[in-house]
Amino acid sequence: MANGDGVRREEVMYNDFVVLGPADDPAGIKGMTNAAEALSKIAAAEAPFVSRGDRSGTHLKELELWEKAGLKPQGPWYLESGAGMGQTLVLAAEKGAYTLTDLATFLTVGKRRGLKALYAREDPLLLNQYAFHLVPGSPGEGEAQRLRAFLASEEAARIVAGLRVEGTPLFAPLRGRCVFPLRP
């Protein structure tokens, strides 16, 4: 991507990242209006926080939020799971810890583990956009073109809009639109 190989970005769907934690909310972040400040409060309280620590999109978003807070989390309160999101949520629940996840994984895993969405607001910092990039000349380019066409279709938008847990949508379809300006 950095070399300009990916072309024709197709925004497919989005949801939001949410900060989860134990119901008793020891850091007192519930009701806050700024995600970076919420993380600052967690750090100040040295309340347990479980990070994926795996350079995934969620982990990179978490690192961006810590940077916006002016912090580099470290110490015994900050744990890295090195695992996928589902396993990270299980660990956070077991440790009574906070963590960052996407809305869909919270609804399908975290909620069932007793974690609460303590910071979940319409905050541009928490946008979690899913996109498809075509790489011309790559093996399977024909199949990739067909997938791109399907992802841009009304049918795909209906499927995305229909993905729900207990009546709550997991994603919102975009069909080629961008919710916020893309960062360079």
Side-chain angles (χ1 to χ4, degrees):
M1 297 308 297
N3 293 335
D5 295 328
V7 298
R8 187 127 187 227
R9 178 184 171 99
E10 191 80 47
E11 283 79 21
V12 178
M13 60 190 169
Y14 75 96
N15 66 11
D16 296 302
F17 288 105
V18 294
V19 179
L20 307 182
D24 63 348
D25 187 18
I29 67 165
K30 187 172 179 142
M32 292 188 71
T33 59
N34 181 292
E37 288 175 12
L39 290 185
S40 290
K41 220 169 166 184
I42 292 167
E46 294 190 1
F49 186 96
V50 179
S51 170
R52 283 184 65 161
D54 64 356
R55 305 295 295 165
S56 65
T58 301
H59 181 228
L60 294 176
K61 175 55 72 170
E62 176 209 324
L63 294 175
E64 176 188 343
L65 292 172
W66 287 117
E67 185 178 319
K68 295 260 185 219
L71 298 169
K72 290 189 186 235
Q74 56 189 356
W77 62 274
Y78 185 77
L79 311 165
E80 289 189 345
S81 71
M85 198 70 252
Q87 295 155 315
T88 298
L89 293 180
V90 170
L91 182 60
E94 289 172 357
K95 299 279 186 188
Y98 294 91
T99 193
L100 180 74
T101 191
D102 64 282
L103 178 64
T105 309
F106 164 62
L107 293 171
T108 57
V109 179
K111 196 171 177 183
R112 292 188 174 104
R113 294 288 177 171
L115 293 168
K116 303 294 179 198
L118 298 170
Y119 184 86
R121 301 192 170 278
E122 290 183 14
D123 180 336
L125 286 175
L126 297 181
L127 177 68
N128 187 22
Q129 198 163 294
Y130 296 79
F132 180 89
H133 292 265
L134 187 62
V135 180
S138 63
E141 183 180 352
E143 290 86 358
Q145 288 278 11
R146 286 189 288 285
L147 176 59
R148 189 212 56 76
F150 171 73
L151 292 173
S153 73
E154 285 288 335
E155 180 184 0
R158 278 193 304 277
I159 291 169
V160 167
L163 297 172
R164 297 174 179 266
V165 170
E166 298 174 8
T168 302
L170 299 179
F171 305 94
L174 287 170
R175 293 201 55 242
R177 296 183 326 271
C178 192
V179 177
F180 296 105
L182 297 176
R183 294 178 195 95

